[in-house]
């Protein structure tokens, strides 16, 4: 995680950001048995769990995206993620029966959040929340609030490839955010100039394993099929004011594919996309035509 | 005996000349090696064609002149218009170096979205590569 902030209180602000990062990790992580998310999962099918206000607000925000685009993003995808995590070790995809069983437990609409009491409840045993497709986004928006609280006007955070930019560079020029090439590890597919935007990329190259028969199994799961999404895209980058929206939409569009993805993007005004298909052709939405610069030799089209 | 003295003096002269020559050669190489390259802000380039001249160090061996074409704020072309390489007398490939400069402008980013490594390490590697390109 890398942060950079400019201004009088930059140093104290960055210390606050670091502390917030630890706090959020302790609340959101599925690997910490004491985290809010772990406690909700442990009590699935049993009882509602009181969670922190930050987790409650984050879950509510995540749930609204999940409910709106449930076919492509589901925050209760935990059982499937666990199944594929085991597959990573064996090199074999999960058995069909196991996949069916896991899929039957994936249903974000069943998550009960009770405002006022700050409780969350998964009503069926075996259900579990995994914030993989949206957690960094929630953290990013939290960091943005902290920067603003400290009076910082120029800053960015990079949460493992998830970029949140506040304002512009100290000299007033826009931030220049490189977009990773999905097939060449040391190259960019292009760069995008932004002011006060988050830039988030979801790609099939970020986390994956190779099956025994040479199959490429990446980490972005399609909640419809239970398999890694195969929509013809290699990566999707979303540029949006909200870090959570950029995070959620990059996953949603990656799973949905170019055509459906565009329709979805139109439902979210102010959000723009850079789609890279399997042939490494680049498609950008019209709002980026003046701010996107492709790397040399990259084929690109304005949608 | 005189023969030995002549041989000794000849060797001495050759030795002194060699040492002085080597020192100057080292100095020239040192100068070239330590040539400071200032970082260019690729975000603030004006459109047009610009000529750059370098005197070539203490003996003028590395003198060259190039022409840089900037279109829409980006370096589109670099041509060598004067220098040894322009007449094909050297194995150095300035074209390759120029390609790198043209490519490098796209690397002038603040941070990278979607990079699997942490951005800092990533940029560090790029920076190291650029430093190597400067000294080689």
């Amino acid at each position: 995680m890398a942060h950079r902030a400019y201004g009088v209180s930059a140093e104290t602000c960055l210390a606050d950001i670091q502390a917030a990062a630890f706090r959020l990790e302790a609340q959101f992580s599925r690997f910490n048995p004491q985290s809010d998310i772990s406690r909700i999962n442990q009590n699935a099918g049993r009882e509602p769990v009181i969670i922190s206000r930050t987790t409650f607000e984050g879950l509510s925000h995540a749930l609204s995206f999940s409910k709106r685009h449930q076919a492509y993003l589901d925050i209760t995808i935990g059982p499937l993620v666990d199944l594929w995590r085991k597959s990573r070790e064996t090199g074999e995809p999960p058995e069909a029966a196991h996949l069916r069983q896991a899929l039957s437990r994936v249903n974000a609409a069943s998550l009960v959040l009770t405002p006022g009491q700050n409780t969350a409840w998964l009503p069926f045993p075996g259900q579990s929340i995994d914030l993989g497709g949206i957690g960094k986004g929630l953290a990013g928006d939290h960091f943005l609030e902290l920067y603003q609280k400290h009076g910082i006007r120029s800053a960015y955070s990079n949460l493992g490839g998830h970029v949140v930019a506040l304002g512009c560079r100290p000299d007033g020029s826009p931030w220049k955010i490189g977009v990773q090439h999905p097939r060449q590890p040391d190259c960019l597919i292009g760069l995008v100039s932004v002011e006060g935007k988050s830039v988030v990329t979801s790609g099939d190259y970020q986390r994956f394993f190779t099956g025994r028969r040479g199959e490429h199994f990446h980490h972005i799961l399609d909640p419809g099929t239970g398999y890694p999404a195969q929509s013809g895209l290699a990566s999707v980058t979303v540029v949006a004011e909200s870090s959570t929206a950029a995070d959620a939409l990059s996953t949603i569009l990656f799973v949905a594919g170019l055509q459906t993805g565009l329709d979805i993007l139109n439902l979210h005004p102010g959000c723009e996309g850079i789609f890279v298909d399997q042939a490494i052709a680049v498609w950008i939405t019209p709002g980026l035509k003046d701010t996107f610069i492709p790397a040399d030799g990259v084929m690109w089209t304005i949608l | 005996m005189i023969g030995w003295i002549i041989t000794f003096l000849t060797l001495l002269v050759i030795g002194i000349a060699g040492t002085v020559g080597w020192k100057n050669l080292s100095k020239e190489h040192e100068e070239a090696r330590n040539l400071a390259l200032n970082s260019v802000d690729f975000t603030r380039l004006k459109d047009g064609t610009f000529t750059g001249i370098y005197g070539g160090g203490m003996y003028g061996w590395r003198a060259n002149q190039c022409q840089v074409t900037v279109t829409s704020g980006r370096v589109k072309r670099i041509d060598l218009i004067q220098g040894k390489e322009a007449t094909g007398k050297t194995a150095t490939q300035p074209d390759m170096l120029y390609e790198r400069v043209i490519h490098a402008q796209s690397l002038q980013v603040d941070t990278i979205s979607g990079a699997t490594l942490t951005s800092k390490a990533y940029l560090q590697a790029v920076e190291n590569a650029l430093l190597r390109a400067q000294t080689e």
Side-chain angles (χ1 to χ4, degrees):
Chain A
M1 218 179 287
H3 310 281
R4 187 158 292 185
Y6 298 88
V8 189
S9 56
E11 217 166 297
T12 45
C13 175
L14 288 177
D16 266 11
I17 295 259
Q18 288 290 0
F22 280 115
R23 220 170 35 243
L24 289 173
E25 169 78 16
Q27 289 169 350
F28 290 171
S29 171
R30 280 183 73 203
F31 303 108
N32 173 355
Q34 269 89 48
S35 77
D36 285 348
I37 299 298
S38 289
R39 289 190 303 111
I40 299 169
N41 293 346
Q42 287 153 13
N43 286 288
R46 286 157 60 187
E47 55 184 3
V49 171
I50 298 172
I51 51 178
S52 73
R53 218 177 119 193
T54 313
T55 311
F56 189 87
E57 283 170 6
L59 270 182
S60 308
H61 201 168
L63 188 60
S64 67
F65 273 100
S66 199
K67 275 185 175 168
R68 197 167 173 194
H69 304 291
Q70 201 168 357
Y72 311 107
L73 175 81
D74 196 309
I75 57 167
T76 62
I77 202 158
L80 266 182
V81 174
D82 290 339
L83 211 50
W84 281 95
R85 191 167 288 127
K86 280 180 208 147
S87 286
R88 202 188 171 108
E89 287 155 25
T90 61
E92 292 282 351
E95 284 173 30
H98 291 158
L99 266 179
R100 269 198 306 277
Q101 192 188 36
L103 270 172
S104 71
R105 292 169 174 161
V106 177
N107 180 13
S110 65
L111 172 65
V112 182
L113 295 176
T114 313
Q117 296 174 8
N118 277 3
T119 59
W121 181 42
L122 287 169
F124 305 108
Q127 282 193 297
S128 62
I129 295 171
D130 185 298
L131 291 178
I134 203 165
K136 284 180 184 174
L138 294 169
D141 277 330
H142 199 75
F143 294 166
L144 278 177
E145 275 175 31
L146 277 176
Y147 281 130
Q148 281 158 335
K149 206 174 108 188
H150 280 271
I152 303 280
R153 291 185 181 169
S154 171
Y156 72 77
S157 288
N158 188 332
L159 296 80
H162 176 127
V163 177
V164 182
L166 174 75
C168 40
R169 286 170 168 176
D171 67 1
S173 64
W175 294 109
K176 292 180 101 184
I177 314 298
V179 178
Q180 174 67 42
H181 192 297
R183 294 292 175 263
Q184 293 172 25
D186 54 351
C187 282
L188 303 179
I189 197 88
L191 70 87
V192 63
S193 301
V194 298
E195 288 179 26
K197 295 277 168 81
S198 288
V199 184
V200 181
T201 304
S202 288
D204 62 6
Y205 62 92
Q206 290 162 335
R207 262 182 291 145
F208 62 90
F209 70 93
T210 307
R212 292 199 174 166
R213 282 168 290 280
E215 318 96 302
H216 179 90
F217 294 116
H218 64 77
H219 77 297
I220 306 171
L221 299 173
D222 182 335
T225 64
Y227 272 85
Q230 285 186 316
S231 62
L233 295 174
S235 76
V236 178
T237 301
V238 173
V239 180
E241 217 162 276
S242 151
S243 156
T244 308
D247 200 5
L249 284 171
S250 72
T251 309
I252 290 166
L253 303 191
F254 183 89
V255 176
L258 181 58
Q259 287 310 324
T260 315
L262 268 178
D263 295 339
I264 293 171
L265 209 47
N266 285 333
L267 301 173
H268 297 271
C271 298
E272 303 289 340
I274 302 163
F275 299 81
V276 184
D277 68 18
Q278 290 286 341
I280 312 302
V282 177
W283 312 78
I284 66 162
T285 50
L288 294 176
K289 72 176 167 44
D290 297 325
T291 50
F292 178 75
I293 302 174
D296 288 335
V298 169
M299 296 267 297
W300 65 301
T301 311
I302 301 167
L303 288 159
Chain B
M1 184 66 182
I2 287 173
W4 280 112
I5 291 170
I6 290 170
T7 311
F8 175 71
L9 285 176
T10 311
L11 285 174
L12 191 69
V13 169
I14 291 171
I16 291 168
T19 311
V20 172
W22 180 252
K23 267 192 178 163
N24 285 339
L25 194 66
S26 301
K27 209 169 153 192
E28 201 275 346
H29 277 47
E30 191 70 19
E31 189 192 6
R33 259 198 300 274
N34 293 335
L35 190 62
L37 296 175
N38 296 313
S39 62
V40 176
D41 185 352
F42 283 91
T43 60
R44 286 160 184 251
L45 298 179
K46 285 184 195 153
D47 284 1
T49 303
F50 307 92
T51 305
I53 302 169
Y54 174 55
M58 60 194 281
Y59 301 121
W61 289 346
R62 297 165 209 280
N64 74 89
Q65 208 171 350
C66 75
Q67 208 168 56
V68 179
T69 309
V70 179
T71 316
S72 309
R74 302 196 79 211
V75 176
K76 287 287 175 198
R77 266 188 85 139
I78 306 176
D79 296 303
L80 182 70
I81 51 175
Q82 215 174 78
K84 272 186 198 164
E85 293 85 351
T87 55
K89 282 183 189 163
T90 172
T92 325
Q93 298 281 331
D95 283 355
M96 278 175 66
L97 206 62
Y98 293 159
E99 275 297 312
R100 281 198 243 174
V101 174
I102 292 170
H103 186 64
Q105 65 185 335
S106 64
L107 299 174
Q108 303 282 314
V109 295
D110 296 297
T111 189
I112 297 166
S113 170
T116 43
L117 302 172
T118 65
S119 230
K120 202 173 168 188
Y122 193 84
L123 287 176
Q124 186 70 58
V126 173
E127 192 182 300
N128 288 342
L130 288 175
L131 282 173
R132 217 164 50 232
Q134 285 171 11
T135 51
E136 268 174 6

